Amino acid sequence: MTIEETAEAPAAAGSGAGSRAFDVEHVLAALTLEEKASLLSGLDFWTTQPVARDGVAVPGVMVTDGPHGLRKQAESPDHLGLGTSVPATCFPPAATLGSTWDPALLRRVGEALGRETRANDVAVLLGPGINIKRSPLNGRNFEYLSEDPVISGELGAALVAGVQSQGVGTSLKHFAANNQEADRMRVSADVDERTLREIYLPGFERVVKRAQPWTVMCSYNRINDVYASQNHWLLTEVLRDEWGFEGLVVSDWGAVRDRVAAVAAGLDLEMPASGGRTDAEVVAAVRAGTLDEAVVDVAARRVLRMVAGSLPALDAAAAARAGSGAEGFDVDAHHALAREAAAAGTVLLKNEPVAEPVETSPGLDNLDRREGAPLLPLASAEGVAVVGELARTPRYQGAGSSQVNPTRLDDALSALRAAAGTDVPFAAGYTVDGADAGSGTDAAALLADAVEVARAAETVLVFLGLPASYESEGFDRAHMDLPAEQVALLEAVASVSPRIVVVLANGSAVSVASWQHLAPAVVEGWLGGQAGGSAIIDVLLGAVNPAGRLAETIPLRLQDNPSYGNFPGELGHVRYGEGLLVGYRWYDARQADVAYPFGHGLSYTTFAYDGVAAEVLRPASGADEDTAAVRVRVTVTNTGDRRGAEVVQVYVGDPEAQVQRPERELKAFGKVDLAPGESRELTFDLTGRDLAYWHPVLRRWVVEGGEFVISVGASSRDLRGAAGVVVDGEDVRMPLEPLSTVAEAMAHPVVGPRVQALVHGGAVAEDMLGMIGDMPLTVVADFGMGGFDRDGLAALLAEANG
């Protein structure tokens, strides 16, 4: 089955289909200043501005949401139109895709997204979003991949490469430090450069360098008081000069505050349309001499290149439809891929053995219990009941601009009944944002009905989760809890049944500590997309062995989260006081208990790790991103009786660094699929950059020589082996200055011995030795305490830094 999109492509200004190619430099040279300025903002909400006059024909092209499925409006392009988009496959949102830890799968999802984008005459799909999950309260966490930049970068690059392989573009977003919805259009993210470089920017850097997205979307917020849309350091010095970004920067919709400053900073395309107002501001600034026309030329060239680059695929798609009608997309195949991705991102959090009933004498009243097997997978649907409205009315995607009009929609209850070939008892138990509960909406009646259904069942599947009103673009969550009525339902069901499987539907971490003891099995389904209902049943019945792993930590309490007290900020500022210690870095550094650690996920089989080893291949440099410095090996064996996939995680620790570093940081991972009894050796190459940190004074990546600890395991807490290596690093000596301390001078490899001899040779009284270490050299010289005066200090500094 294929779906053909009937909406026409944006009209080619002055040209027919198949003849829209143009020479960018020739067109740019022919444009007036006013025409060049017009290219730098939209025609309407979703389309770039065309230019059409004698000798010049630049078509406008369409860009549209969203990260996990196309949201193209079928009607008026001048508003959000959340309910009027064309049918498209709703793939699982990023929260689910991130939990797959599977770049190859995300590449395939990206390819499918690209096919649907091209078939609908859209030039750029606005995604993926790869912002770091700083707090579980961020209302848009469902749209982001992880709390870790390595996962975000690897999976983001795979999605971008997949989409763009189809001849259409992506928009990597939201650049940068956009980690909350509260006051998102004004708030200043106040964060030090080292934290930016090591946590909030490297995911973007990895995607840019590996996949070159056609566009990068700037965020709404300020970064250290400068709006991202007019932040020259961010958009030009870092993104382009350092990382080599070749595409254009587009604003988030409504993110531009000063259009002239934004153009000067490196923002090329303002969206949506401003009605010509900001175009005129750009022209006026050039005429007044406050903006160089050459800067406008650079931005216009980038827009022209994006438009020209999109035309071959869009025109080929249009020609195919006009001819054979072959261009479109395979609805069935894409739905099947969405089902595969949803199952792959499902995380089995808990699966404990349950007591089995054993009849010791005739009659059902004479039962003993013996220790049995884990509750999952279910042998069949026999004796199973389903409780929870979310099983019938699925929460399958996020709320806001990423909402997709799915081509079809699976629910778990129907999928289970189809798999069983018979009816399965069901009770709604609660309502979800006004969903029809069938027998009525009286809470007590719904609860009582669910208890009776559970009482008669052998095993109860309890579907719980967050309604759309709890998490959305535009606002943050107030807490991490499930709705109280859902927890009350679970407690009531647990009073009559010991065999409970909780299935969660949520876009960000929820608190489980207060209720998970009631259920032997807990399955984190996240938001599964349009095929999520069938995917969950695949996992519960064992047709799919769960291999999803947490890409974000689930804390015991909200108060344990590192951003607590610094989220969402106040008076227009949010302070990133936790610095580098984001997510698992915080919990591991403090050895704090968590509900489930980063990287955690169970399987229906088991895996053994052997032979963890690491060898140094060459000296390491923080500037080296391509050459392996350390090679890590591990052998993984499937020791169970089912085929399954394991996610092998490689963490690096630097215990000897002169600056604070996290206890361990994820630097590589690999997913390996193994038959029962099968073993495979995995090899991971770590570069100098994987060992480096951003030096806050030298302002570059550096690798300190010394010992590193390489740990390999199944989560940040489940480490199966470690190897120490001694790496030859770089000279990271700090230059000595008049305000350098005596202790720093004493540790200096060149002049240190002489300073020590002066200090300990009688120049400093014995009772002053403890105090003098932290005193600046210039103060010591002025006090005559260190055996040198100002002239002697100048000579000492010259020798040290010479």
Side-chain angles (χ1 to χ4, degrees):
M1 176 181 177
T2 61
I3 186 168
E4 299 296 338
E5 181 48 57
T6 58
E8 295 182 358
S15 62
S19 61
R20 295 194 293 170
F22 59 86
D23 181 274
V24 168
E25 294 303 323
H26 176 78
V27 168
L28 181 63
L31 294 177
T32 66
L33 173 60
E34 287 76 10
E35 289 169 338
K36 288 184 289 190
S38 75
L39 291 175
L40 308 189
S41 64
L43 173 67
D44 50 39
F45 215 84
W46 300 114
T47 310
T48 64
Q49 292 213 47
V51 177
R53 61 173 173 80
D54 291 344
V56 177
V58 179
V61 296
M62 177 173 279
V63 303
T64 196
D65 294 317
H68 60 272
L70 190 75
R71 191 178 69 80
K72 176 187 176 183
Q73 293 173 230
E75 298 175 358
S76 171
D78 296 321
H79 56 81
L80 283 174
L82 296 178
T84 61
S85 58
V86 300
T89 306
C90 181
F91 288 94
T96 312
L97 295 178
S99 293
T100 69
W101 293 58
D102 191 339
L105 174 61
L106 266 67
R107 165 79 187 222
R108 291 164 53 211
V109 170
E111 290 169 353
L113 288 169
R115 286 191 291 270
E116 297 194 22
T117 300
R118 184 184 65 205
N120 280 280
D121 303 308
V122 172
V124 175
L125 185 71
L126 300 176
I130 65 165
N131 292 95
I132 294 298
K133 298 184 181 185
R134 177 177 178 243
S135 167
L137 297 185
N138 183 2
R140 210 170 182 177
N141 271 351
F142 60 82
E143 203 169 319
Y144 302 134
L145 292 161
S146 178
E147 68 186 26
D148 183 83
V150 171
I151 297 180
S152 299
E154 288 290 327
L155 299 186
L159 278 168
V160 168
V163 172
Q164 295 188 170
S165 70
Q166 304 304 305
V168 293
T170 57
S171 194
L172 188 66
K173 62 184 189 180
H174 301 90
F175 191 58
N178 179 196
N179 307 109
Q180 64 189 67
E181 292 299 283
D183 201 22
R184 62 174 175 159
M185 293 190 175
R186 302 180 307 172
V187 72
S188 175
D190 296 340
V191 52
D192 65 272
E193 184 178 7
R194 185 178 171 210
T195 298
L196 279 172
R197 294 282 192 170
E198 294 192 29
I199 301 294
Y200 296 103
L201 296 185
F204 289 95
E205 179 181 6
R206 192 173 293 234
V207 178
V208 165
K209 290 181 175 179
R210 295 191 179 187
Q212 279 293 341
W214 286 15
T215 77
V216 167
M217 182 186 294
C218 83
S219 55
Y220 288 117
N221 54 284
R222 292 174 288 155
I223 300 165
N224 298 322
D225 251 351
V226 180
Y227 280 104
S229 62
Q230 57 200 59
N231 193 315
H232 187 274
W233 174 80
L234 185 71
L235 303 184
T236 295
E237 296 172 44
V238 174
L239 179 62
R240 291 193 168 98
D241 296 345
E242 292 185 25
W243 299 351
F245 177 59
E246 299 171 357
L248 70 84
V249 176
V250 60
S251 73
D252 203 343
W253 270 230
V256 175
R257 295 293 168 266
D258 183 329
R259 183 65 182 124
V260 174
V263 172
L267 187 132
D268 308 300
L269 177 60
E270 176 191 22
M271 290 296 288
S274 69
R277 175 181 55 81
T278 57
D279 302 348
E281 291 174 359
V282 171
V283 171
V286 173
R287 302 283 189 220
T290 57
L291 180 66
D292 192 335
E293 187 171 357
V295 175
V296 177
D297 288 349
V298 168
R301 179 181 290 109
R302 291 171 181 149
V303 175
L304 290 171
R305 285 177 176 170
M306 186 270 288
V307 172
S310 69
L311 296 181
L314 297 181
D315 288 344
R321 285 196 304 276
S324 65
E327 182 66 22
F329 63 91
D330 188 326
V331 171
D332 294 336
H334 285 196
H335 186 78
L337 178 58
R339 181 172 178 172
E340 178 186 352
T346 298
V347 182
L348 181 58
L349 295 177
K350 177 183 179 182
N351 192 25
E352 296 181 348
V354 291
E356 297 284 357
V358 180
E359 186 173 335
T360 57
S361 62
L364 295 177
D365 294 331
N366 298 284
L367 294 178
D368 285 341
R369 293 199 175 265
R370 66 184 177 193
E371 193 69 9
L375 192 48
L376 294 176
L378 301 173
S380 71
E382 184 177 354
V384 173
V386 176
V387 170
E389 181 61 40
L390 284 167
R392 178 174 63 178
T393 308
R395 171 98 195 284
Y396 62 97
Q397 64 175 326
S401 64
S402 66
Q403 290 182 85
V404 177
N405 181 14
T407 59
R408 67 183 66 164
L409 181 59
D410 296 352
D411 66 87
L413 179 60
S414 298
L416 180 59
R417 287 171 170 170
T422 186
D423 191 32
V424 173
F426 168 75
Y430 55 83
T431 59
V432 179
D433 286 347
D436 180 12
S439 61
T441 57
D442 178 77
L446 290 174
L447 183 61
D449 183 40
V451 169
E452 291 311 306
V453 168
R455 192 191 308 274
E458 180 181 342
T459 302
V460 186
L461 308 181
V462 182
F463 283 75
L464 308 176
L466 299 180
S469 61
Y470 272 51
E471 54 180 351
S472 171
E473 177 184 358
F475 61 86
D476 291 324
R477 296 162 64 193
H479 53 74
M480 289 183 62
D481 300 331
L482 291 172
E485 62 272 20
Q486 293 188 20
V487 177
L489 170 67
L490 175 61
E491 292 171 346
V493 169
S495 71
V496 300
S497 175
R499 295 173 58 86
I500 294 175
V501 179
V502 169
V503 181
L504 293 171
N506 46 288
S508 186
V510 296
S511 297
V512 301
S514 66
W515 55 258
Q516 66 168 346
H517 64 282
L518 301 172
V522 180
V523 178
E524 178 56 90
W526 301 112
L527 303 179
Q530 69 178 50
S534 295
I536 281 291
I537 301 306
D538 288 341
V539 171
L540 297 179
L541 294 178
V544 172
N545 192 344
R549 302 294 183 262
L550 291 178
E552 57 190 286
T553 305
I554 302 179
L556 289 172
R557 311 177 306 154
L558 173 63
Q559 291 88 338
D560 297 333
N561 181 261
S563 69
Y564 188 77
N566 285 317
F567 181 97
E570 55 198 11
L571 302 177
H573 290 263
V574 54
R575 186 173 67 91
Y576 284 48
E578 68 279 6
L580 302 172
L581 300 183
V582 175
Y584 68 92
R585 292 166 168 83
W586 171 274
Y587 301 108
D588 290 351
R590 283 158 177 74
Q591 299 181 359
D593 290 337
V594 298
Y596 293 103
F598 175 83
H600 169 77
L602 303 177
S603 172
Y604 297 151
T605 188
T606 54
F607 300 93
Y609 290 58
D610 297 293
V612 174
E615 62 175 322
V616 177
L617 303 179
R618 57 183 52 81
S621 165
D624 191 348
E625 303 174 45
D626 302 315
T627 305
V630 174
R631 180 160 293 159
V632 183
R633 288 188 170 88
V634 60
T635 298
V636 181
T637 302
N638 183 340
T639 54
D641 58 4
R642 286 174 176 261
R643 187 175 195 93
E646 174 71 326
V647 176
V648 180
Q649 303 162 40
V650 179
Y651 295 87
V652 173
D654 183 7
E656 297 182 355
Q658 61 181 261
V659 298
Q660 180 196 45
R661 299 198 69 179
E663 186 78 8
R664 65 187 68 91
E665 297 181 276
L666 182 76
K667 293 300 180 181
F669 62 90
K671 198 166 192 174
V672 56
D673 186 79
L674 299 171
E678 183 181 4
S679 297
R680 192 172 305 169
E681 183 183 74
L682 281 73
T683 301
F684 303 91
D685 284 346
L686 304 179
T687 68
R689 177 66 180 273
D690 293 323
L691 308 177
Y693 65 85
W694 180 264
H695 200 292
V697 177
L698 299 177
R699 297 195 68 244
R700 62 179 176 87
W701 292 100
V702 301
V703 177
E704 277 189 62
E707 182 182 10
F708 289 80
V709 178
I710 314 298
S711 302
V712 180
S715 82
S716 74
R717 295 288 177 88
D718 184 6
L719 303 174
R720 306 293 183 88
V725 292
V726 177
V727 176
D728 290 333
E730 304 169 69
D731 181 358
V732 294
R733 285 179 298 173
M734 296 287 296
L736 284 188
E737 301 171 339
L739 289 178
S740 296
T741 66
V742 172
E744 290 167 345
M746 290 171 67
H748 195 278
V750 176
V751 300
R754 188 147 57 85
V755 176
Q756 292 181 42
L758 286 171
V759 170
H760 293 291
V764 178
E766 194 70 27
D767 60 354
M768 293 291 293
L769 288 175
M771 179 187 298
I772 196 173
D774 281 338
M775 294 180 67
L777 293 171
T778 186
V779 173
V780 172
D782 289 344
F783 285 179
M785 296 172 60
F788 49 83
D789 56 14
R790 284 290 186 108
D791 291 338
L793 174 59
L796 191 74
L797 296 180
E799 181 182 353
N801 300 326

